[in-house]
Amino acid sequence: MAERIVVAMSGGVDSSVAAALLVEQGYEVIGVMLRLWAEIRPGLPSLNRCCSDEAVEDARRVADTLGIPFYLLNVERPFKTQVVDRFIAGYASGVTPNPCLYCNRYIRFDRLLNYALSVGAVALATGHYARVRLAPNGHGYQLLRGVDRAKDQSYVLHVVGQRELAHLRFPIGHLTKQEVRELARQWRLPVAEKAESQELCFIADGDYRRFMQTWAPEAVHPGPIVDRVGNVLGQHKGLPFYTIGQRSGLGIAAREPLYVLALDPERNAVVVGTRDELGNKELTAARVNWVAGSPPDREITVTARIRYKGSEVEAQVRPLPGNRAHVRFVQPLRDITPGQAVVFYEGEVCLGGGLIEPPDRPLPISLVE
């Protein structure tokens, strides 16, 4: 009897090819799409882009082509609580949250994985560009980058641990995007040429500023733009409209370009400065997850990435009590953004990562609990 694997299907080419590969390998494959929360706005789409009617139909057509069952799993309520509400809380507190991290931690690799195991599957498979292998010492699993460095998604997968990796499959992790497209064409999958979507999936029009004004108007109100010593240089439109390193949209006339250095929710102030003032060589990360299951017992040298598509820089990481870590880079980085993740690598292996804290205060409890 063939082993059963649940495949998280999105209606896109990556998850479709992942499902096709598993069918070809002889597994009993079940396709599942998550029904996620989306805001309802007059005149705007009322479905989450990750599970729109078009996406559902595309996934269903792929499932029919492959001869596998396909189901929708409704997780609208937990998605709103665990992902959307944290997104709102992050911007309201003056940080820039990454909702994909919360979706992976609380929805995809928690609720969906639990669902897969509950229906007798040995694993949950997704269309992520990443890989899993046994650790060289034979104890536990390692999370590896995808072979296609341009598509590697290990950054947003750093939240998984040993329990998850034991039941996860990434069937396309050893392929390039071009190879995935070619396989889709060979198998005549109806989504072979489908374009990718990069926008926030739960915001009706993709405009997060308008979204914050609608769902958290108390967090969007004008305040001062100040320099490091507190001189008022102008007026901002609301803290959620700004992020670290931002240059455009400040509306300030100055002798040299000014950049956002920090957001101060206590004063409702945007702190700006020159390019020379922007950047830091160190940060503290909260809610650090070590993929191996426990932190190293000493300071280690890694390469670290502070943005999903950012470059990597050599750094020293020192574990701290309370699932935190101090990170010191070999050179200053201009775009260290509280609320985003810093992720650690040793060669091809993703060691883990955590959420970047503001330098002067902890992250809100809602983002780290």
Side-chain angles (χ1 to χ4, degrees):
M1 185 174 177
E3 290 185 315
R4 178 178 296 168
I5 294 183
V6 167
V7 179
M9 300 187 72
S10 67
V13 66
D14 295 331
S15 60
S16 298
V17 169
L21 285 167
L22 292 171
V23 169
E24 185 179 63
Q25 293 165 16
Y27 291 100
E28 177 194 350
V29 178
I30 298 174
V32 175
M33 177 180 281
L34 297 175
R35 175 70 82 188
L36 307 174
W37 180 91
E39 64 170 339
I40 299 176
R41 300 289 296 166
L44 295 175
S46 59
L47 290 173
N48 189 300
R49 272 185 287 276
C50 284
C51 49
S52 65
D53 289 342
E54 178 186 0
V56 172
E57 182 57 28
D58 286 341
R60 198 182 303 279
R61 288 193 298 147
V62 169
D64 289 344
T65 300
L66 298 176
I68 64 173
F70 173 75
Y71 303 99
L72 276 172
L73 181 63
N74 192 317
V75 292
E76 290 183 70
R77 183 172 296 178
F79 185 84
K80 173 63 166 61
T81 301
Q82 302 285 16
V83 180
V84 180
D85 289 352
R86 293 175 194 271
F87 175 87
I88 294 170
Y91 270 113
S93 65
V95 303
T96 306
N98 185 331
C100 294
L101 301 178
Y102 296 108
C103 184
N104 283 339
R105 176 175 283 133
Y106 297 110
I107 305 299
R108 186 173 284 115
F109 301 124
D110 182 52
R111 287 181 175 270
L112 181 54
L113 176 56
N114 288 338
Y115 169 83
L117 298 177
S118 75
V119 298
V122 298
L124 169 68
T126 73
H128 285 98
Y129 287 85
R131 295 170 289 158
V132 180
R133 75 177 180 194
L134 283 172
N137 61 10
H139 300 292
Y141 299 88
Q142 291 180 322
L143 174 66
L144 275 63
R145 308 172 190 269
V147 167
D148 188 338
R149 283 294 188 92
K151 300 299 296 182
D152 169 46
Q153 292 171 294
S154 58
Y155 176 90
V156 293
L157 296 171
H158 79 270
V159 298
V160 301
Q162 292 299 298
R163 183 254 179 183
E164 292 81 17
L165 289 179
H167 298 289
L168 286 180
R169 304 288 187 273
F170 302 122
I172 66 170
H174 65 292
L175 301 173
T176 65
K177 183 71 176 194
Q178 183 177 350
E179 290 170 332
V180 168
R181 291 276 187 197
E182 186 53 40
L183 285 174
R185 296 182 189 110
Q186 290 178 19
W187 286 321
R188 301 183 184 279
L189 299 182
V191 295
E193 309 302 332
K194 187 174 180 178
E196 298 179 72
S197 174
Q198 303 292 336
E199 297 177 319
L200 288 170
C201 66
F202 54 84
I203 298 178
D205 56 358
D207 185 347
Y208 85 90
R209 293 177 173 86
R210 193 274 313 151
F211 180 85
M212 287 297 298
Q213 286 177 316
T214 301
W215 292 88
E218 71 284 354
V220 184
H221 49 94
I225 298 177
V226 301
D227 61 19
R228 280 197 182 277
V229 297
N231 296 316
V232 177
L233 306 179
Q235 191 90 345
H236 69 74
K237 299 177 181 178
L239 293 187
F241 295 175
Y242 304 86
T243 189
I244 305 301
Q246 180 176 330
R247 176 183 171 185
S248 62
L250 298 179
I252 300 173
R255 287 179 294 181
E256 55 184 311
L258 296 177
Y259 301 81
V260 175
L261 304 181
L263 302 177
D264 185 346
E266 187 173 328
R267 292 185 293 166
N268 188 34
V270 173
V271 182
V272 300
T274 65
R275 183 185 180 92
D276 291 339
E277 295 177 280
L278 183 64
N280 207 324
K281 287 189 68 173
E282 57 186 343
L283 61 82
T284 302
R287 209 193 195 292
V288 176
N289 176 67
W290 295 97
V291 175
S294 60
D297 57 8
R298 54 183 171 78
E299 184 174 275
I300 60 173
T301 299
V302 302
T303 57
R305 195 190 310 172
I306 59 172
R307 289 288 180 92
Y308 174 45
K309 291 297 184 181
S311 57
E312 289 173 26
V313 177
E314 184 178 323
Q316 301 292 317
V317 179
R318 176 166 51 90
L320 299 173
N323 295 327
R324 299 169 75 242
H326 178 265
V327 184
R328 186 175 66 256
F329 302 99
V330 296
Q331 63 192 53
L333 300 183
R334 295 181 55 219
D335 52 353
I336 296 176
T337 306
Q340 295 290 298
V342 55
V343 179
F344 316 130
Y345 294 89
E346 187 176 72
E348 291 293 294
V349 180
C350 176
L351 301 175
L355 298 175
I356 300 171
E357 288 189 327
D360 58 346
R361 63 188 188 277
L363 285 167
I365 294 297
S366 62
L367 298 190
V368 296
E369 64 185 0

